[in-house]
């Protein structure tokens, strides 16, 4: 049923991965970050397509996401980047996925519930180099080393990683901070070199392009896989492009007269006769309510301003003189114009939030 839907160009996602990979150092690998339903693009579909391209490393945010991928036949390593309640860790084992060990406290709690089975659970140790979110503090190199060695003893440890927090901005202070994060991470990696852990990684999308670590052979590729920018100031490599378009249809068109208002709160008032199109997509679909009287949509290549408030299930647009009819296709978010990054700029947010916010009731089509 075509009411509100997105069209996802899977070839573009694969092409983005290919181009990004070609810019990494020789021998480096991509870990595809497919959390949050692959940033709204469909985690199972994206992961399967990447499997077919030979990508065998994936990262998700939680156990439910990891299990979904396994249940749908996704191959390779699946790393849960965040918290899993320790009482669920038997399922991490059963589904052959990898759990991040957040810190020493988490390791101890995991051991208590897993007992002797802990040695079979794949795990990676988080190192905190400045994000101050998860991980053992890299400012204490001895403590960090002890943590990693303890993890290697107790779990089936396959790697260590850290997360960069300003790799996407190029001002000197951010660049210096990122270099320092990488230095701290490399120091820890060097101290545990003898463990020969296969997965040592510190780069996100931005890091992989603009900050390369000598000991990180893996880039955790998220937002750029989907053709969007980590930060509005970035220029993406040639050929990397958005893969998603969000569309809806004109449900009806009516004429309103001078003095009439549109929608809740009567926030739009006509000063002359206007043609108003009703479009069956609303904030419950993820169309941001802050676009009320502010955003625009595109119909047959022409911009139509959103007038009145965005409703839960519908929006209204001014289509005066555009010759618009019920059934006409409406572009809410595009690949070339009206992109997620452009919408994000208008809303004071990031493209990530726009694509992740597109709701479950918006049908995904793969083109
Ligand atoms: C989300 C996430 C990524 C991916 O970040 P992008 O900016 O989308 O590339 C990488 N690593 C961790 C730990 C994350 O949480």
């Amino acid at each position: 049923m075509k009411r509100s839907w997105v069209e996802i160009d899977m070839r573009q996602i694969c092409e983005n991965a290919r181009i990004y990979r070609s810019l990494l150092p020789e021998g480096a690998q991509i870990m595809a970050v497919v959390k949050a339903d692959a940033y709204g693009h469909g985690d199972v579909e994206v992961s399967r397509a990447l499997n077919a391209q030979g990508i065998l490393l994936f990262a998700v945010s939680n156990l439910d996401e990891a299990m979904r991928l396994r249940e749908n036949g996704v191959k390779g390593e699946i790393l849960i980047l965040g918290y899993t309640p320790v009482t669920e860790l038997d399922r991490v084992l059963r589904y052959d996925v990898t759990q991040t060990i957040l810190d020493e406290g988490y390791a101890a709690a995991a051991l208590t519930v897993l007992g002797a089975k802990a040695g079979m659970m794949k795990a990676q140790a988080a190192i905190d180099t400045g994000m101050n979110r998860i991980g053992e503090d890299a400012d204490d190199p001895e403590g960090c080393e002890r943590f990693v060695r303890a993890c290697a003893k107790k779990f089936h440890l396959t790697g260590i990683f850290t997360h960069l927090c300003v790799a996407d901005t190029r001002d000197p202070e951010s660049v210096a901070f990122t270099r320092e994060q990488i230095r701290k991470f490399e120091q820890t990696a060097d101290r545990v070199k003898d463990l020969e852990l296969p997965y040592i990684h510190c780069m996100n999308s931005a890091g992989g392009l603009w900050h390369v670590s000598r000991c990180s052979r893996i880039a955790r590729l998220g937002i750029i896989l989907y053709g969007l920018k980590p930060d509005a100031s970035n220029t993406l490599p040639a050929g990397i492009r958005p893969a998603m378009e969000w569309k809806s249809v004109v449900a009806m068109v009516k004429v309103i007269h001078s003095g009439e208002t549109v929608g809740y709160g009567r926030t739009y008032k006509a000063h002359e006769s206007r043609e108003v199109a009703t479009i069956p997509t609303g904030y419950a679909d993820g169309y941001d309510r802050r676009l009320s009287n502010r955003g625009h949509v595109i119909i047959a290549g022409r911009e139509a301003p959103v007038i009145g408030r965005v409703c839960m299930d519908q929006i209204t647009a001014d289509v005066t003189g555009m010759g618009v009819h019920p059934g006409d296709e409406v572009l809410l978010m595009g690949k070339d114009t009206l992109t997620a990054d452009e919408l994000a700029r208008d809303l004071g947010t990031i493209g990530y939030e726009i694509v992740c916010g597109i709701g479950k009731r918006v049908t995904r089509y793969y083109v």
Side-chain angles (χ1 to χ4, degrees):
M1 181 195 63
K2 290 211 162 184
R3 171 190 68 86
S4 187
W5 70 98
V6 292
E7 293 175 4
I8 295 156
D9 183 350
M10 199 59 86
R11 270 170 317 186
Q12 186 65 54
I13 291 178
C14 291
E15 178 67 359
N16 291 346
R18 193 193 62 73
I19 294 171
Y20 187 91
R21 168 70 195 77
S22 74
L23 298 168
L24 290 176
E26 192 64 33
Q29 278 178 285
I30 285 171
M31 178 185 291
V33 181
V34 294
K35 61 190 178 189
D37 202 21
Y39 297 40
H41 294 67
D43 52 6
V44 169
E45 292 79 1
V46 168
S47 302
R48 281 181 178 158
L50 294 176
N51 261 173
Q53 303 295 306
I55 290 179
L56 289 167
L57 299 177
F58 296 92
V60 295
S61 97
N62 61 62
L63 178 59
D64 286 335
E65 292 177 348
M67 285 170 34
R68 225 168 86 80
L69 295 187
R70 274 291 183 258
E71 279 162 1
N72 286 282
V74 173
K75 295 182 190 57
E77 302 291 348
I78 301 172
L79 171 64
I80 300 172
L81 293 166
Y83 174 74
T84 300
V86 290
T87 49
E88 303 292 311
L89 289 179
D90 55 320
R91 291 206 280 179
V92 168
L93 255 170
R94 218 165 342 116
Y95 279 78
D96 184 33
V97 298
T98 307
Q99 175 59 42
T100 294
I101 307 298
L102 309 185
D103 67 352
E104 278 174 352
Y106 188 84
L111 277 175
T112 313
V113 297
L114 286 173
K117 282 189 293 182
M120 283 161 13
M121 187 183 77
K122 285 183 184 167
Q124 295 196 18
I127 308 297
D128 188 357
T129 53
M131 180 83 170
N132 284 318
R133 190 171 67 175
I134 59 165
E136 274 295 311
D137 197 339
D139 284 332
D140 172 10
E142 289 81 22
C144 230
E145 178 181 348
R146 251 195 329 272
F147 169 62
V148 176
R149 292 195 184 282
C151 286
K153 246 189 215 114
K154 293 160 187 163
F155 305 103
H156 174 16
L157 194 74
T158 62
I160 62 172
F161 72 94
T162 194
H163 195 39
L164 305 175
C165 50
V166 277
D168 57 357
T169 34
R170 310 295 290 145
D171 62 285
E173 195 183 330
S174 299
V175 171
F177 191 88
T178 304
R179 291 221 177 105
E180 185 57 11
Q181 280 195 281
I182 291 173
R183 188 196 63 76
K184 289 177 188 174
F185 182 67
E186 289 177 342
Q187 183 183 333
T188 301
D190 285 343
R191 293 178 83 110
V192 297
K193 224 183 187 121
D194 57 294
L195 296 176
E196 292 180 1
L197 301 169
Y199 306 121
I200 309 262
H201 45 111
C202 65
M203 302 180 287
N204 52 11
S205 287
L209 287 184
W210 301 306
H211 296 274
V212 172
S213 157
R214 68 177 156 79
C215 66
S216 187
R217 314 305 294 158
I218 297 165
R220 298 189 303 270
L221 173 61
I223 197 71
I224 294 180
L225 181 60
Y226 310 105
L228 300 176
K229 298 173 180 184
D231 183 82
S233 66
N234 302 148
T235 307
L236 294 183
I240 292 187
R241 306 177 50 74
M244 182 195 274
E245 283 184 323
W246 187 5
K247 295 177 176 175
S248 192
V249 291
V250 173
M252 69 168 260
V253 181
K254 71 175 291 179
V255 175
I256 60 169
H257 301 291
S258 179
E260 286 194 86
T261 61
V262 176
Y264 288 122
R266 306 185 66 207
T267 58
Y268 173 86
K269 188 172 190 179
H271 297 293
E272 56 187 339
S273 290
R274 307 305 294 172
E275 286 174 67
V276 181
T278 304
I279 299 157
T281 296
Y283 63 75
D285 299 295
Y287 195 85
D288 200 299
R289 190 166 172 277
R290 290 167 295 175
L291 292 168
S292 300
N293 289 306
R294 180 163 176 190
H296 68 271
V297 300
I298 294 177
I299 305 174
R302 295 173 67 188
E303 288 188 10
V306 172
I307 56 172
R309 285 195 186 146
V310 172
C311 305
M312 185 183 290
D313 314 305
Q314 303 177 78
I315 53 178
T316 34
D318 184 346
V319 295
T320 305
M322 288 172 58
V324 164
H325 302 287
D328 287 355
E329 198 170 277
V330 178
L331 187 71
L332 304 173
M333 188 191 85
K335 294 191 283 199
D336 307 308
T337 53
L338 199 54
T339 62
D341 284 334
E342 286 170 30
L343 283 170
R345 188 159 353 116
D346 289 348
L347 289 164
T349 184
I350 48 178
Y352 299 70
E353 191 186 5
I354 304 292
V355 288
C356 288
I358 298 175
K360 281 280 165 278
R361 69 183 198 186
V362 175
T363 320
R364 268 70 174 169
Y365 292 98
Y366 294 88
V367 297

